[in-house]
Amino acid sequence: MEIPFQISAGRVAATVAAILFETLFPLAAAWFVGRRLRVSWRYFAYGAMIFLIFQLITRVPLVMALQGMVTPHVQASRTLMFGWLVALALTAGLAEEIGRYIGYRWLFREEKTWSRAVMYGLGHGGFESIVLVGGLTLLGLINLLALSSVDLATLPLTDEQRELARQQLEAVAAQPDWLPLAGAWERLWTLPFHAALSVIVLQVFRRGQMRWLWLAIAMHTLVNLIAAGIAPALALQGTAAILIPEVIVMIAGLAGLWVIWRLREGNVQR
């Protein structure tokens, strides 16, 4: 009989804390913005709807279908791996920013203002944080807790599948207990970045220049590419491979806060 996989109490506590933050922080930020700028939660819902349609329903299924085909080639070639990362970053930028633009055109019947744009961005990033990040983290925790109570030898798996599961669980066991908190830290800075992108796309309508949409696509693509690609590009290992991408995201979030402030309207229209 094999010794069941054991998940530490510290890992469980960190994961629960991360899930709570990933779920509640976007709602708290939207509540604060709604009260402070007197803007309706309807715009939060618009952002969530756009993310659902252009990411979860459209882009993510296509990426998952392609990933099954390209994975063997990507694993065999460093060049193809970076090409795939560029494709992922670019399609994310195109899907989300064009989605924001379409949302402004189709959903915003009232005047498109800075305060509404901020709430729109919080809905976009908030839905990602609550459903995609927090939801998947919760499912991962449930799976780990389930596997910690069973013997792999009793599961109806082939020897190859059992060995792969064993290797994956050993990799999880070797991770630091605080690792889930890195996801929460990332959400802290991703949310203002999403709000900033919504404010940038707003300028297409406020200033009548399409170049603002292309700027948002470029910024989104660049941040995604650097955050995802810096670890393999620099051959980072261990803690550095976890923390350095999070520093990149933090810088993007701080830049996002500056963009939101810089592009604010002199008199916020409500």
Side-chain angles (χ1 to χ4, degrees):
M1 175 179 174
E2 296 185 12
I3 299 175
F5 166 76
Q6 298 294 320
I7 180 170
S8 70
R11 179 62 177 263
V12 172
T15 304
V16 170
I19 293 169
L20 290 174
F21 184 86
E22 291 155 1
T23 302
L24 298 178
F25 173 63
L27 298 176
W31 176 85
F32 175 80
V33 167
R35 288 287 300 272
R36 181 69 178 83
L37 302 180
R38 298 182 184 177
V39 59
S40 170
W41 278 81
R42 180 169 72 255
Y43 302 100
F44 184 93
Y46 289 166
M49 185 189 308
I50 290 300
F51 186 86
L52 173 65
I53 294 171
F54 286 87
Q55 266 284 39
L56 295 189
I57 294 178
T58 304
R59 176 180 173 271
V60 170
L62 290 175
V63 167
M64 293 179 67
L66 287 173
Q67 193 160 2
M69 295 185 288
V70 305
T71 295
H73 306 288
V74 168
Q75 291 176 339
S77 169
R78 186 175 176 85
T79 300
L80 289 178
M81 178 192 70
F82 283 110
W84 179 240
L85 288 177
V86 170
L88 290 176
L90 180 59
T91 55
L94 288 169
E96 294 190 45
E97 302 319 314
I98 291 175
R100 282 185 227 267
Y101 172 80
I102 292 174
Y104 276 124
R105 289 188 64 89
W106 289 358
L107 300 175
F108 281 62
R109 301 302 181 188
E110 307 88 346
E111 186 178 4
K112 302 171 182 66
T113 64
W114 175 82
S115 58
R116 290 167 182 161
V118 172
M119 185 65 103
Y120 183 46
L122 292 180
H124 192 109
F127 190 85
E128 178 185 42
S129 182
I130 295 167
V131 176
L132 195 59
V133 180
L136 290 179
T137 303
L138 177 59
L139 287 176
L141 176 61
I142 292 171
N143 287 335
L144 288 178
L145 291 173
L147 288 171
S148 68
S149 62
V150 300
D151 179 3
L152 288 179
T154 64
L155 298 178
L157 303 172
T158 65
D159 290 341
E160 182 179 352
Q161 291 172 329
R162 189 172 291 108
E163 179 58 27
L164 179 60
R166 184 183 299 108
Q167 292 174 3
Q168 292 173 337
L169 291 174
E170 288 175 353
V172 171
Q175 294 171 346
D177 285 348
W178 53 261
L179 181 62
L181 298 177
W185 173 261
E186 183 175 306
R187 290 303 103 190
L188 173 65
W189 300 109
T190 301
L191 200 62
F193 185 66
H194 273 293
L197 291 172
S198 288
V199 171
I200 290 173
V201 177
L202 172 70
Q203 306 311 307
V204 174
F205 304 94
R206 302 295 289 180
R207 307 187 189 211
Q209 298 171 331
M210 285 297 295
R211 66 186 179 89
W212 290 93
L213 173 60
W214 300 114
L215 175 61
I217 292 171
M219 288 179 60
H220 196 145
T221 300
L222 184 63
V223 170
N224 279 5
L225 181 58
I226 295 175
I230 192 167
L234 300 181
L236 300 176
Q237 300 290 331
T239 302
I242 299 170
L243 296 184
I244 290 180
E246 300 305 334
V247 171
I248 300 298
V249 175
M250 180 187 71
I251 293 171
L254 290 171
L257 290 172
W258 179 84
V259 167
I260 293 168
W261 180 256
R262 182 69 178 80
L263 294 179
R264 74 193 186 283
E265 296 161 354
N267 295 307
V268 178
Q269 303 174 46
R270 297 165 183 171

